[in-house]
Amino acid sequence: MSRVRTRPTRDDTRDRLFEAAARVFEEQGIGGASIEIIAAAAGFTRGAFYSNFKSKDELIIAMLEDHVDQSIRRLHDLLDRHRSLPDFIEALRTMDRSRQDPLGRSPLLHMEMILFVARAEKRRPELAKRLRARRKLIADIVETTSKNSGRNPGLDPAWWGAIVLAMEDGFRLHRLIDPETTPADSFLRAIDDLQKAIGTASN
């Protein structure tokens, strides 16, 4: 009889390391988390870690890349089903976040990891590439929802992408500093108010 494969695939191993790293980073901080602790939390040896990543920095970059890729796929899928901006915002508000990747479930950890990587100047171009991808995603959403509503976006969609992304990151930081006055849905509320104000001004 042939043996049933029980060894996890490379993707399974990476996913388990991502989940374990997120837990360890939140509990111990990014700087204090060792490769040994992350590997053990995932149920692997140090060797299994190094068969996938050369360093903790490389693991973090991979987690950020995976988060951006998943976000782009998920939001494009949402856009295919909700073509107007109000419907799209409502779908975002009610989206099941329990099925997201670790950084999607923990926006503050996402920001902490970005800042951690940004400290190394040589890594910033990698972050810039992901920043541009996130801006492009928002620009696509603005352009698509504007066309479907028959409205002019008023500004270049690429510039809208930069503005909206800056707002999202800003609200994440504000929630970290002062969660009492910055509810979890502050960003979506701001986008909703902004699109209503634009609609009123164009009438």
Side-chain angles (χ1 to χ4, degrees):
M1 294 178 64
S2 61
R3 292 185 177 181
V4 177
R5 180 186 176 95
T6 58
R7 180 179 296 177
T9 65
R10 182 175 178 84
D11 286 346
D12 291 338
T13 300
R14 288 167 66 90
D15 287 345
R16 283 169 59 179
L17 285 169
F18 289 167
E19 290 284 349
R23 292 197 307 271
V24 172
F25 290 157
E26 288 184 316
E27 292 170 1
Q28 302 186 18
I30 298 173
S34 68
I35 288 172
E36 289 81 4
I37 292 174
I38 293 171
F44 296 128
T45 63
R46 178 187 175 97
F49 180 97
Y50 281 115
S51 69
N52 287 272
F53 305 105
K54 296 178 181 178
S55 65
K56 184 170 69 175
D57 281 3
E58 188 174 282
L59 165 69
I60 291 172
I61 290 291
M63 289 177 70
L64 291 170
E65 184 174 48
D66 180 69
H67 170 69
V68 171
D69 288 345
Q70 288 199 41
S71 296
I72 290 173
R73 288 196 303 270
R74 185 169 52 252
L75 292 180
H76 271 301
D77 178 64
L78 209 62
L79 186 61
D80 287 340
R81 292 182 283 115
H82 305 278
R83 308 289 285 183
S84 72
L85 188 56
D87 288 348
F88 182 80
I89 293 173
E90 184 58 29
L92 276 179
R93 196 187 305 277
T94 58
M95 185 171 60
D96 181 9
R97 300 189 181 279
S98 66
R99 301 179 63 183
Q100 289 184 325
D101 66 289
L103 302 190
R105 298 193 304 269
S106 180
L108 295 182
L109 177 60
H110 179 208
M111 178 170 285
E112 289 174 17
M113 289 174 65
I114 289 174
L115 294 175
F116 179 83
V117 175
R119 289 180 182 275
E121 188 172 352
K122 65 179 181 179
R123 293 288 195 184
R124 289 176 191 168
E126 296 181 49
L127 290 178
K129 181 171 65 176
R130 287 156 187 80
L131 177 65
R132 293 186 192 118
R134 292 171 67 204
R135 285 177 177 167
K136 174 65 166 54
L137 170 63
I138 297 171
D140 289 345
I141 293 169
V142 169
E143 194 163 21
T144 299
T145 55
S146 296
K147 285 180 179 177
N148 289 330
S149 65
R151 290 179 178 174
N152 188 320
L155 295 175
D156 175 44
W159 181 231
W160 267 125
I163 292 171
V164 170
L165 194 57
M167 285 175 55
E168 182 181 22
D169 290 340
F171 275 117
R172 283 177 179 167
L173 181 59
H174 290 186
R175 182 160 173 76
L176 175 64
I177 296 170
D178 187 9
E180 185 177 342
T181 63
T182 313
D185 67 341
S186 293
F187 169 66
L188 291 179
R189 285 171 54 194
I191 294 299
D192 195 31
D193 289 344
L194 189 59
Q195 69 94 15
K196 287 177 182 175
I198 292 171
T200 300
S202 62
N203 291 333

